Amino acid sequence: MSSVAATADSAGHDHDHGHHAHGDDHLALLKAVPFWSTDHKVIGIQFLLTTLVMMMVGGALALGVRWQLAFPWENMPIIGAFFPASAGGQVTPEFYTMLFTMHATVMIFLVIIPVLAGAFGNFLIPLMIGADDMAFPLLNALSFWVMLPAIFFFGMSFVWNDGWGPNAGPGAGWTSYPALSALQAAAPGSGWAQFWWLMGVTCVGFSSMMGSINYMTTIINMRAPGMTLLRMPLTIWGMFITAVLQAFALPVLTAAGFMLVADRSMGTCFFIPSGLVVNNAVPTVGGGQTLLWQHLFWFYSHPAVYIMVLPAMGMVSDMLACMSRKPIFGYKPMVYSLAAIAGLGFIVWGHHMFISGMNPALGMTFMISTIMIALPSAVKVFNWIGTIWGGKPEFNVIFLNCVAFVSMFIVGGLSGIFMAAVPVDIYIHDTYFIVAHFHYVLFGSTLFAVFGAIHFWYPKMFGRFMSEGWGKLHFFLTFIGFNGTFFPMHLLGVAGMPRRYADPYLYPYLEHLLPLNQFMTVCAAIMGFAQFILIGNFIFSLFSSRKAGRNPWNANGLEWHAPSPPGHGNFDIPAVVYRGPYEYSSPEHDSDYWPQAEAPRPVVDHDSEASPKIAPA
């Protein structure tokens, strides 16, 4: 355990005067998880446990994809037995399209978005702004329970395509482009499986919209006395801007989903063009535009990239400042860069469509606006480095995961500049270079931030520390496995290896890439099985790890003003804010942290007989 945690453990117990009895049972919140609750902390933990389970499901699907690319048409050991649509463990071409479709679907819609906005957003927002709960507790509970039907519908797409049985699931990719997704006879996965997929995405959208409304209202209206906007932690800024993105972008995807369902079941032709011939059938009577779906889908889904990374940016900022014992470098530029990234995210969706035949002038506009996102992103990277520089970092598992986040975000950002350039993107579009880029941004960045956040706020959730040793083992195996899996994908993309091909080695110019794919699959297996260490550490720490005090990391945020774990209503001592959240190693204070809720101390003027003055906050 780091010296910060060790020192703070005793300090945290010293501050536990007036601790409510409801905070003494570290399993109190966990016991309520399987049941209906409107407590934001319980809902956050429900989201967290659900997403951890779905992360393992999504990982298993990814290993199925990697197996086929490394050992094409060979029976999969262990995992193959759980894939009924495979023939004796052998991946069929139709099943392969389902694997990559559902892997992306699960990891994006059921893991990354809900773990950030759902789990940590729910648990942290009221605690970090000094509120006793969300603005709309009932709506908050519904945001979780509406996600469960989404899991059911996605599960149905595995087993019910054209009737019950081990048929291939949806195979149009997580982007679900028409006409594969609009016509029921277009492909093996275009039947009922695609319908269930659309229903699942719709439920996820409703869940996110409920959370978005709640987060914006809570942050605007329920901040503690003294908690001005520019005293909010960057975690809250990340959650707030994410909620704004969801509120403006989700209705577009929801409307597009209803239009696609209408095309499939009501005879409309929003996305079905005229004269389309499917399986030698009579040409369709259409008039729609398949590109319309791409515009609507990416108008949501590119902002969704920032929905999946902005909260992580905020959480990493808070963790890095605490673990480096330094104020965050450039607080206001960090806030403004978050807003700039979100704003630019709405005008760059067309860079996903550079090869769709758009006007070159329009392509140039999307290219320039996309490259401009590098500016606020660079501000954040340099400010994170500036926060670490000259600090006194604790090289614990939290700090390591935060540094991994920054490092992987740099790699993903640099590769993104290549794809922003139209001439380069025309060559690498739909190759494994694209796969490498978005995994560095969405896995290498986001999930490393999540792993660090689990360790950082676990003591507040359950009143105990997670194991430092097992946490570091999980980190190093994941870090090595991740880079061994995804960095070579840049090389595959430059070599011209296309995405979504079950057997790319049918083309002689790709045969020499087989050994590299086998190496990547071994690394992916290491990374995948390392997550069992995280799950085991999470569970066993509930019962066998050291207890944590009220403020185990000597941090400044309001959440550390509450008991560990917090009871109903969160705070047993009223939360009043006197300063910003990053007053670490301040020369005006006798310790290296200065909590937001610590009242100013009176300063006695010995040269005057007047009453004592109050030290400024």
Side-chain angles (χ1 to χ4, degrees):
M1 187 63 61
S2 68
S3 60
V4 171
T7 303
D9 187 42
S10 58
H13 282 95
D14 290 342
H15 289 110
D16 274 351
H17 56 280
H19 193 300
H20 281 191
H22 56 219
D24 293 332
D25 183 3
H26 71 284
L27 295 178
L29 291 178
L30 194 62
K31 290 176 181 177
V33 163
F35 306 104
W36 172 270
S37 175
T38 57
D39 190 313
H40 73 97
K41 301 178 294 297
V42 174
I43 296 168
I45 295 174
Q46 288 173 327
F47 268 111
L48 180 59
L49 297 179
T50 302
T51 53
L52 288 176
V53 172
M54 298 314 299
M55 181 182 73
M56 304 306 287
V57 174
L61 295 169
L63 288 179
V65 173
R66 290 306 322 162
W67 175 267
Q68 171 61 17
L69 292 174
F71 309 101
W73 317 124
E74 295 185 20
N75 292 341
M76 283 186 292
I78 305 175
I79 297 179
F82 297 96
F83 291 156
S86 59
Q90 183 187 82
V91 176
T92 63
E94 296 82 6
F95 191 61
Y96 181 80
T97 62
M98 186 279 293
L99 284 175
F100 66 71
T101 297
M102 294 308 296
H103 161 65
T105 298
V106 169
M107 295 303 283
I108 291 172
F109 294 121
L110 300 181
V111 178
I112 300 178
I113 293 177
V115 77
L116 290 172
F120 289 102
N122 264 296
F123 190 88
L124 293 177
I125 286 175
L127 286 169
M128 296 185 88
I129 66 172
D132 57 355
D133 207 327
M134 287 289 182
F136 309 113
L138 179 61
L139 191 67
N140 198 31
L142 288 174
S143 71
F144 169 74
W145 290 101
V146 168
M147 197 180 78
L148 297 185
I151 297 174
F152 169 78
F153 290 137
F154 287 138
M156 287 291 290
S157 68
F158 280 97
V159 296
W160 189 3
N161 185 21
D162 296 313
W164 292 98
N167 297 302
W174 81 278
T175 57
S176 206
Y177 282 176
L180 284 176
S181 59
L183 298 173
Q184 299 195 27
S190 298
W192 275 97
Q194 189 65 41
F195 170 80
W196 295 121
W197 186 92
L198 287 167
M199 294 296 295
V201 170
T202 302
C203 288
V204 169
F206 278 117
S207 173
S208 296
M209 184 59 69
M210 292 175 185
S212 168
I213 296 169
N214 230 340
Y215 296 171
M216 289 189 293
T217 307
T218 302
I219 293 171
I220 292 172
N221 292 333
M222 298 182 66
R223 301 191 304 276
M227 178 65 81
T228 62
L229 289 177
L230 291 179
R231 284 181 174 176
M232 294 196 309
L234 289 169
T235 296
I236 300 301
W237 273 110
M239 297 292 180
F240 177 69
I241 294 173
T242 294
V244 174
L245 284 173
Q246 290 175 316
F248 282 93
L250 264 172
V252 177
L253 180 65
T254 303
F258 285 133
M259 292 161 69
L260 187 56
V261 170
D263 277 7
R264 293 176 54 85
S265 58
M266 299 173 62
T268 60
C269 297
F270 292 108
F271 308 118
I272 302 174
S274 301
L276 184 66
V277 179
V278 178
N279 294 332
N280 297 320
V282 177
T284 59
V285 179
Q289 292 286 338
T290 56
L291 282 180
L292 175 61
W293 169 265
Q294 294 191 36
H295 281 288
L296 297 176
F297 180 86
W298 288 116
F299 187 83
Y300 162 78
S301 294
H302 194 80
V305 172
Y306 303 111
I307 291 170
M308 292 182 271
V309 77
L310 290 181
M313 289 177 171
M315 295 191 298
V316 165
S317 300
D318 284 353
M319 291 185 284
L320 273 181
C322 180
M323 293 303 147
S324 299
R325 316 311 297 168
K326 265 189 65 179
I328 196 73
F329 186 87
Y331 171 79
K332 288 184 178 179
M334 292 288 269
V335 174
Y336 300 148
S337 62
L338 282 172
I341 290 172
L344 289 170
F346 274 106
I347 62 173
V348 299
W349 79 90
H351 66 221
H352 295 273
M353 304 167 59
F354 279 153
I355 64 170
S356 65
M358 68 172 60
N359 186 298
L362 183 60
M364 179 70 71
T365 303
F366 281 123
M367 181 179 77
I368 293 173
S369 58
T370 301
I371 293 174
M372 286 179 61
I373 292 184
L375 300 178
S377 299
V379 169
K380 306 197 74 61
V381 169
F382 286 119
N383 285 15
W384 287 321
I385 296 173
T387 301
I388 300 171
W389 186 267
K392 300 176 182 178
E394 289 286 333
F395 288 90
N396 55 21
V397 65
I398 299 167
F399 183 78
L400 291 173
N401 276 290
C402 290
V403 172
F405 167 90
V406 176
S407 304
M408 300 302 97
F409 182 75
I410 291 172
V411 176
L414 291 175
S415 64
I417 294 176
F418 285 89
M419 294 180 296
V422 177
V424 180
D425 184 78
I426 289 174
Y427 174 74
I428 63 176
H429 192 87
D430 266 341
T431 70
Y432 265 82
F433 197 96
I434 309 296
V435 181
H437 163 73
F438 69 67
H439 278 89
Y440 265 91
V441 173
L442 297 186
F443 186 115
S445 296
T446 300
L447 283 187
F448 276 116
V450 168
F451 296 150
I454 289 173
H455 282 267
F456 187 65
W457 280 290
Y458 189 92
K460 184 55 58 179
M461 291 180 178
F462 304 111
R464 290 181 179 268
F465 293 102
M466 290 182 70
S467 168
E468 184 75 10
W470 286 110
K472 287 183 177 178
L473 178 61
H474 165 258
F475 165 76
F476 284 114
L477 289 177
T478 303
F479 187 80
I480 294 170
F482 170 82
N483 284 284
T485 302
F486 295 109
F487 191 82
M489 288 186 182
H490 296 98
L491 307 179
L492 297 182
V494 172
M497 180 173 169
R499 303 162 61 186
R500 306 188 183 98
Y501 282 36
D503 188 1
Y505 315 111
L506 292 173
Y507 300 95
Y509 80 98
L510 296 174
E511 290 178 348
H512 69 286
L513 299 177
L514 178 59
L516 186 56
N517 271 300
Q518 291 173 337
F519 168 78
M520 293 160 55
T521 298
V522 172
C523 292
I526 293 172
M527 176 177 60
F529 286 104
Q531 306 319 306
F532 286 104
I533 299 174
L534 173 70
I535 301 297
N537 192 3
F538 189 100
I539 295 173
F540 289 111
S541 294
L542 291 170
F543 308 100
S544 60
S545 63
R546 290 195 311 115
K547 292 185 178 180
R550 186 178 295 244
N551 190 358
W553 306 115
N554 285 345
N556 292 340
L558 276 190
E559 73 270 30
W560 308 107
H561 186 64
S564 297
H568 186 68
N570 294 337
F571 297 95
D572 54 354
I573 306 171
V576 180
V577 177
Y578 298 96
R579 60 193 60 84
Y582 302 112
E583 297 294 330
Y584 291 103
S585 303
S586 172
E588 300 179 13
H589 199 263
D590 54 5
S591 65
D592 68 349
Y593 70 110
W594 201 356
Q596 287 186 283
E598 182 179 304
R601 292 168 296 177
V603 176
V604 178
D605 186 355
H606 297 287
D607 297 330
S608 173
E609 295 181 358
S611 58
K613 301 177 181 179
I614 301 298

